[in-house]
Amino acid sequence: AAVPPALAIRSLQVVYGGAIEAVRDVSLEVRAGQIVALLGSNGAGKSTVLKAVSGVLDAEDGEIDKGTIELFGRPIKQAGAPDIVRQGMVQVPEGRRLFATLTVEENLMAGAHTRSTAELAEARERVFRLFPRLVDKRSTVAGYLSGGEQQMVAIGRALMSRPRVLALDEPSLGLAPLVVAEIFDSVQKLRADEGVTILLVEQNASRALAICDYAYIMENGRVVLDGTGEQLRRNADVREFYLGLS
Ligand code: ATP
């Protein structure tokens, strides 16, 4: 039998407040071990897709109107957010959302769910291996960290629950180019060293296309283009509208 994709979204339609169609007929697939990018300008509907996948739409009066979402072949549509995390899908929300008055270590522990002390210690050490910069800052309050370090803590916190699929919402937002490069390197390392499957939502199309296996571009709630990173980097429209090249 064919191996089911890590994440499969089919004909997804999401409505806010019973009226605003933020996502229309979106289908996408992320195979196990892939990095897949979801690109598009502000308001295209990228975050809404992630929220649907993570089961956190209700908080914003949104709902899945049509379509299905499967994680490793199992439907998640009816599952609540904690259940989806247990099934292996974890999201790093846009804006990091750390506990500003807690330390790096305390923030990491906040991402851990019902595991043994030994497993927690091991998960924490993995995070410090991936982000060596955080080692010296483990007792620093998150509010005092740089934007890049905060993003590392946010990703680290998500890793504490050992996701099989990690969804990152705009990890490069507001960061200096060198820091963005560092974050994207860690994303590649995560996939290479630990086989974590990654869905990457980005406005930084050029960086995202450079590291992804496959990408989808959204406009006005719909997928308008998709292809390998390489194909899209050669596409004339992508070059003009998303990469600012001619
Ligand atoms: P951004 O990069 O700004 O997050 P995006 O591509 O992720 O953009 P979404 O945030 O998913 O886009 O928004 C898609 C559409 O849904 C937009 O028109 C937005 O105004 C609308 N929208 C988003 N959240 C809500 C909400 N809670 N209530 C009503 N409309 C919403």
Side-chain angles (χ1 to χ4, degrees), residues 16 20 22 41-48 51 60 94 170 203:
Y16 286 112
I20 305 162
S41 48
N42 255 327
K46 309 176 301 292
S47 299
T48 301
K51 285 174 193 164
E60 301 187 40
E94 188 176 325
E170 308 248 10
Q203 280 194 53

Side-chain angles (χ1 to χ4, degrees), residues 103-219:
T103 66
V104 165
E105 200 141 34
E106 287 163 344
N107 268 282
L108 293 182
M109 292 322 249
H113 297 273
T114 57
R115 309 239 310 272
S116 75
T117 322
E119 279 177 322
L120 288 183
E122 195 210 304
R124 201 176 43 203
E125 290 322 304
R126 284 168 60 237
V127 172
F128 287 131
R129 270 201 300 281
L130 185 68
F131 300 116
R133 263 227 241 174
L134 296 181
V135 175
D136 289 343
K137 304 258 157 113
R138 61 203 303 161
S139 305
T140 302
V141 160
Y144 290 154
L145 300 175
S146 70
E149 288 161 352
Q150 290 187 6
Q151 184 61 57
M152 292 172 195
V153 177
I155 296 173
R157 180 180 56 185
L159 293 175
M160 290 299 289
S161 49
R162 282 198 162 266
R164 292 207 281 167
V165 184
L166 185 67
L168 299 165
D169 199 353
E170 308 248 10
S172 76
L173 200 69
L175 303 181
L178 272 178
V179 183
V180 174
E182 201 178 334
I183 298 282
F184 275 51
D185 282 350
S186 330
V187 169
Q188 284 183 290
K189 198 155 170 263
L190 247 184
R191 183 266 291 274
D193 297 357
E194 321 217 6
V196 179
T197 302
I198 289 159
L199 178 59
L200 174 65
V201 166
E202 261 300 336
Q203 280 194 53
N204 190 332
S206 127
R207 296 248 184 212
L209 288 176
I211 69 161
C212 72
D213 298 294
Y214 204 85
Y216 296 84
I217 299 185
M218 286 184 75
E219 268 173 34

Side-chain angles (χ1 to χ4, degrees), residues 14-128:
V14 178
V15 175
Y16 286 112
I20 305 162
E21 288 182 1
V23 168
R24 307 162 201 227
D25 197 25
V26 164
S27 296
L28 66 86
E29 234 180 64
V30 186
R31 298 203 199 122
Q34 278 188 331
I35 297 177
V36 169
L38 185 54
L39 310 174
S41 48
N42 255 327
K46 309 176 301 292
S47 299
T48 301
V49 170
L50 280 201
K51 285 174 193 164
V53 166
S54 307
V56 295
L57 280 171
D58 337 352
E60 301 187 40
D61 197 23
E63 63 177 343
I64 295 176
D65 198 34
K66 284 194 198 115
T68 58
I69 303 174
E70 287 182 2
L71 208 52
F72 299 99
R74 289 174 58 195
I76 64 166
K77 191 175 165 185
Q78 309 305 335
D83 220 48
I84 293 170
V85 170
R86 244 173 272 125
Q87 287 178 40
M89 166 91 210
V90 179
Q91 191 196 146
V92 181
E94 188 176 325
R96 354 279 196 222
R97 310 238 186 106
L98 299 178
F99 299 106
T101 60
L102 298 187
T103 66
V104 165
E105 200 141 34
E106 287 163 344
N107 268 282
L108 293 182
M109 292 322 249
H113 297 273
T114 57
R115 309 239 310 272
S116 75
T117 322
E119 279 177 322
L120 288 183
E122 195 210 304
R124 201 176 43 203
E125 290 322 304
R126 284 168 60 237
V127 172
F128 287 131

